[in-house]
mmCIF file of all heavy atoms in Angstrom:
data_model
loop_
_atom_site.group_PDB
_atom_site.id
_atom_site.type_symbol
_atom_site.label_atom_id
_atom_site.label_comp_id
_atom_site.label_asym_id
_atom_site.label_seq_id
_atom_site.Cartn_x
_atom_site.Cartn_y
_atom_site.Cartn_z
ATOM 1 N N TYR A 56 -21.601 2.855 -53.447
ATOM 2 C CA TYR A 56 -21.414 2.823 -51.987
ATOM 3 C C TYR A 56 -20.553 4.011 -51.547
ATOM 4 O O TYR A 56 -19.633 4.420 -52.223
ATOM 5 C CB TYR A 56 -20.752 1.521 -51.556
ATOM 6 C CG TYR A 56 -21.536 0.315 -51.880
ATOM 7 C CD1 TYR A 56 -21.216 -0.417 -53.029
ATOM 8 C CD2 TYR A 56 -22.555 -0.143 -51.137
ATOM 9 C CE1 TYR A 56 -21.889 -1.592 -53.433
ATOM 10 C CE2 TYR A 56 -23.364 -1.278 -51.502
ATOM 11 C CZ TYR A 56 -22.985 -1.989 -52.590
ATOM 12 O OH TYR A 56 -23.669 -3.090 -52.953
ATOM 13 N N HIS A 58 -18.382 5.161 -48.102
ATOM 14 C CA HIS A 58 -17.897 4.719 -46.781
ATOM 15 C C HIS A 58 -17.027 5.807 -46.142
ATOM 16 O O HIS A 58 -16.251 6.527 -46.791
ATOM 17 C CB HIS A 58 -17.021 3.437 -46.993
ATOM 18 C CG HIS A 58 -17.741 2.281 -47.570
ATOM 19 N ND1 HIS A 58 -18.593 1.562 -46.827
ATOM 20 C CD2 HIS A 58 -17.696 1.737 -48.845
ATOM 21 C CE1 HIS A 58 -19.057 0.560 -47.585
ATOM 22 N NE2 HIS A 58 -18.581 0.650 -48.834
ATOM 23 N N MET A 94 -13.746 -1.424 -51.074
ATOM 24 C CA MET A 94 -14.252 -2.406 -51.971
ATOM 25 C C MET A 94 -14.770 -3.672 -51.211
ATOM 26 O O MET A 94 -15.832 -4.165 -51.486
ATOM 27 C CB MET A 94 -13.173 -2.752 -53.026
ATOM 28 C CG MET A 94 -13.742 -3.615 -54.177
ATOM 29 S SD MET A 94 -13.659 -5.368 -53.861
ATOM 30 C CE MET A 94 -11.953 -5.692 -53.945
ATOM 31 N N ARG A 95 -13.955 -4.135 -50.319
ATOM 32 C CA ARG A 95 -14.352 -5.403 -49.520
ATOM 33 C C ARG A 95 -15.574 -5.044 -48.610
ATOM 34 O O ARG A 95 -16.399 -5.877 -48.444
ATOM 35 C CB ARG A 95 -13.174 -5.893 -48.753
ATOM 36 C CG ARG A 95 -12.106 -6.548 -49.520
ATOM 37 C CD ARG A 95 -11.097 -7.208 -48.690
ATOM 38 N NE ARG A 95 -10.109 -7.951 -49.419
ATOM 39 C CZ ARG A 95 -9.149 -8.745 -48.872
ATOM 40 N NH1 ARG A 95 -9.090 -8.761 -47.490
ATOM 41 N NH2 ARG A 95 -8.262 -9.356 -49.676
ATOM 42 N N ALA A 96 -15.602 -3.807 -48.028
ATOM 43 C CA ALA A 96 -16.669 -3.460 -47.209
ATOM 44 C C ALA A 96 -17.966 -3.403 -48.008
ATOM 45 O O ALA A 96 -18.999 -3.560 -47.456
ATOM 46 C CB ALA A 96 -16.391 -2.103 -46.580
ATOM 47 N N SER A 97 -17.844 -3.091 -49.295
ATOM 48 C CA SER A 97 -19.074 -3.034 -50.158
ATOM 49 C C SER A 97 -19.532 -4.356 -50.640
ATOM 50 O O SER A 97 -20.787 -4.620 -50.685
ATOM 51 C CB SER A 97 -18.700 -2.177 -51.399
ATOM 52 O OG SER A 97 -18.363 -0.821 -50.959
ATOM 53 N N TYR A 98 -18.615 -5.288 -51.010
ATOM 54 C CA TYR A 98 -18.938 -6.532 -51.571
ATOM 55 C C TYR A 98 -18.640 -7.771 -50.719
ATOM 56 O O TYR A 98 -19.137 -8.861 -51.040
ATOM 57 C CB TYR A 98 -18.203 -6.678 -53.008
ATOM 58 C CG TYR A 98 -18.524 -5.538 -53.841
ATOM 59 C CD1 TYR A 98 -17.542 -4.531 -54.119
ATOM 60 C CD2 TYR A 98 -19.798 -5.402 -54.485
ATOM 61 C CE1 TYR A 98 -17.813 -3.476 -54.952
ATOM 62 C CE2 TYR A 98 -20.016 -4.315 -55.364
ATOM 63 C CZ TYR A 98 -19.001 -3.367 -55.613
ATOM 64 O OH TYR A 98 -19.273 -2.317 -56.401
ATOM 65 N N GLY A 99 -17.935 -7.523 -49.625
ATOM 66 C CA GLY A 99 -17.632 -8.719 -48.768
ATOM 67 C C GLY A 99 -18.780 -9.174 -47.866
ATOM 68 O O GLY A 99 -18.825 -10.352 -47.510
ATOM 69 N N SER A 100 -19.660 -8.294 -47.549
ATOM 70 C CA SER A 100 -20.817 -8.599 -46.655
ATOM 71 C C SER A 100 -21.917 -7.630 -47.070
ATOM 72 O O SER A 100 -21.765 -6.444 -47.447
ATOM 73 C CB SER A 100 -20.415 -8.396 -45.187
ATOM 74 O OG SER A 100 -21.589 -8.547 -44.357
ATOM 75 N N SER A 101 -23.141 -8.195 -46.995
ATOM 76 C CA SER A 101 -24.298 -7.359 -47.308
ATOM 77 C C SER A 101 -24.528 -6.209 -46.260
ATOM 78 O O SER A 101 -24.972 -5.194 -46.626
ATOM 79 C CB SER A 101 -25.551 -8.277 -47.318
ATOM 80 O OG SER A 101 -25.753 -8.856 -46.078
ATOM 81 N N ASN A 102 -24.044 -6.444 -45.038
ATOM 82 C CA ASN A 102 -24.094 -5.448 -43.998
ATOM 83 C C ASN A 102 -23.084 -5.781 -42.986
ATOM 84 O O ASN A 102 -23.262 -6.561 -42.047
ATOM 85 C CB ASN A 102 -25.514 -5.401 -43.363
ATOM 86 C CG ASN A 102 -25.730 -4.155 -42.524
ATOM 87 O OD1 ASN A 102 -24.786 -3.623 -41.888
ATOM 88 N ND2 ASN A 102 -26.997 -3.728 -42.377
ATOM 89 N N TYR A 103 -21.901 -5.148 -43.101
ATOM 90 C CA TYR A 103 -20.775 -5.531 -42.243
ATOM 91 C C TYR A 103 -21.047 -4.980 -40.795
ATOM 92 O O TYR A 103 -20.479 -5.621 -39.863
ATOM 93 C CB TYR A 103 -19.498 -4.941 -42.825
ATOM 94 C CG TYR A 103 -19.389 -3.441 -42.905
ATOM 95 C CD1 TYR A 103 -19.011 -2.649 -41.829
ATOM 96 C CD2 TYR A 103 -19.760 -2.814 -44.096
ATOM 97 C CE1 TYR A 103 -18.957 -1.277 -41.906
ATOM 98 C CE2 TYR A 103 -19.665 -1.455 -44.229
ATOM 99 C CZ TYR A 103 -19.289 -0.685 -43.106
ATOM 100 O OH TYR A 103 -19.224 0.705 -43.213
ATOM 101 N N ILE A 104 -21.851 -3.954 -40.623
ATOM 102 C CA ILE A 104 -22.137 -3.553 -39.281
ATOM 103 C C ILE A 104 -22.918 -4.508 -38.454
ATOM 104 O O ILE A 104 -22.575 -4.924 -37.299
ATOM 105 C CB ILE A 104 -22.839 -2.151 -39.331
ATOM 106 C CG1 ILE A 104 -21.880 -1.076 -39.818
ATOM 107 C CG2 ILE A 104 -23.314 -1.765 -37.907
ATOM 108 C CD1 ILE A 104 -22.593 0.255 -39.975
ATOM 109 N N VAL A 105 -23.932 -5.129 -39.111
ATOM 110 C CA VAL A 105 -24.743 -6.152 -38.459
ATOM 111 C C VAL A 105 -23.838 -7.363 -38.209
ATOM 112 O O VAL A 105 -23.968 -8.029 -37.155
ATOM 113 C CB VAL A 105 -25.971 -6.506 -39.292
ATOM 114 C CG1 VAL A 105 -26.693 -7.663 -38.695
ATOM 115 C CG2 VAL A 105 -26.899 -5.285 -39.421
ATOM 116 N N ALA A 106 -23.004 -7.706 -39.217
ATOM 117 C CA ALA A 106 -22.164 -8.910 -39.029
ATOM 118 C C ALA A 106 -21.162 -8.711 -37.893
ATOM 119 O O ALA A 106 -21.005 -9.645 -37.083
ATOM 120 C CB ALA A 106 -21.349 -9.134 -40.420
ATOM 121 N N ILE A 107 -20.588 -7.513 -37.752
ATOM 122 C CA ILE A 107 -19.642 -7.290 -36.638
ATOM 123 C C ILE A 107 -20.381 -7.352 -35.284
ATOM 124 O O ILE A 107 -19.933 -7.982 -34.338
ATOM 125 C CB ILE A 107 -18.979 -5.921 -36.833
ATOM 126 C CG1 ILE A 107 -18.021 -5.977 -38.064
ATOM 127 C CG2 ILE A 107 -18.262 -5.490 -35.552
ATOM 128 C CD1 ILE A 107 -17.404 -4.597 -38.349
ATOM 129 N N THR A 148 -11.934 -10.003 -43.963
ATOM 130 C CA THR A 148 -12.561 -10.318 -45.263
ATOM 131 C C THR A 148 -13.682 -9.276 -45.570
ATOM 132 O O THR A 148 -14.150 -9.263 -46.719
ATOM 133 C CB THR A 148 -13.132 -11.733 -45.262
ATOM 134 O OG1 THR A 148 -14.157 -11.827 -44.273
ATOM 135 C CG2 THR A 148 -12.036 -12.753 -45.042
ATOM 136 N N TRP A 149 -14.059 -8.467 -44.605
ATOM 137 C CA TRP A 149 -15.074 -7.513 -44.869
ATOM 138 C C TRP A 149 -14.495 -6.056 -45.125
ATOM 139 O O TRP A 149 -15.281 -5.057 -45.176
ATOM 140 C CB TRP A 149 -16.121 -7.486 -43.711
ATOM 141 C CG TRP A 149 -16.732 -8.764 -43.414
ATOM 142 C CD1 TRP A 149 -16.968 -9.764 -44.265
ATOM 143 C CD2 TRP A 149 -17.192 -9.201 -42.074
ATOM 144 N NE1 TRP A 149 -17.525 -10.822 -43.635
ATOM 145 C CE2 TRP A 149 -17.696 -10.509 -42.251
ATOM 146 C CE3 TRP A 149 -17.200 -8.708 -40.837
ATOM 147 C CZ2 TRP A 149 -18.211 -11.291 -41.231
ATOM 148 C CZ3 TRP A 149 -17.738 -9.360 -39.837
ATOM 149 C CH2 TRP A 149 -18.258 -10.646 -40.004
ATOM 150 N N GLY A 150 -13.170 -6.016 -45.099
ATOM 151 C CA GLY A 150 -12.539 -4.737 -45.305
ATOM 152 C C GLY A 150 -12.594 -3.853 -44.072
ATOM 153 O O GLY A 150 -12.520 -2.574 -44.204
#
Side-chain angles (χ1 to χ4, degrees):
Y56 300 97
H58 298 285
M94 190 272 289
R95 289 188 176 184
S97 301
Y98 302 106
S100 174
S101 60
N102 191 331
Y103 62 86
I104 294 180
V105 175
I107 291 174
T148 59
W149 304 331

